[in-house]
Amino acid sequence: MPWDEAGMPALTRDTGAETLPERPTAPASEGAAVLQYEWRGAWVVIARGSYDMDSITPLADALAVAVRKHPKVILDASGITFADSTLLNLLILTHQAGTLRVVAPSAQLKRLCEITGVDSILQTRDSVDDAAVS
């Protein structure tokens, strides 16, 4: 859609129609979401989306509370689409603070862990059920 100098859609400028929302100046970043529940005596934290220093806080808060309150914490990492050293640091700190199992890390997260050697520290499992009984 063409835009005029004032940032208005050119097609609605002269028609009196309601203007469209402002055009984005940069692509929207992929959001991050955290869900939690108890399963077989462990606390499961599900992480979805992209995690870096700008989006890590909800996951960091969830894992910090979980590791203080529960004997075992399971991170379902299957929905993580991007991770950087911020997430790796969080996983190491959570592992040091309590029992952490990482379930089904995405290909990108698995590769990041392999490159950095973090895969030798973290315990990964294929499913939440496997993690709960290990």
Side-chain angles (χ1 to χ4, degrees), residues 1-4 8-20:
M1 168 179 296
W3 297 81
D4 69 10
M8 300 290 287
L11 297 177
T12 61
R13 181 180 55 232
D14 298 324
T15 65
E18 195 172 310
T19 61
L20 297 174

Side-chain angles (χ1 to χ4, degrees), residues 42-86:
W43 193 252
V44 180
V45 177
I46 304 171
R48 300 283 183 258
S50 177
Y51 290 95
D52 58 21
M53 64 187 275
D54 293 326
S55 61
I56 198 74
T57 303
L59 181 57
D61 292 346
L63 289 174
V65 170
V67 80
R68 281 194 308 267
K69 291 185 173 184
H70 302 279
K72 184 184 294 183
V73 176
I74 299 169
L75 175 64
D76 179 343
S78 62
I80 295 176
T81 56
F82 174 81
D84 65 8
S85 62
T86 308

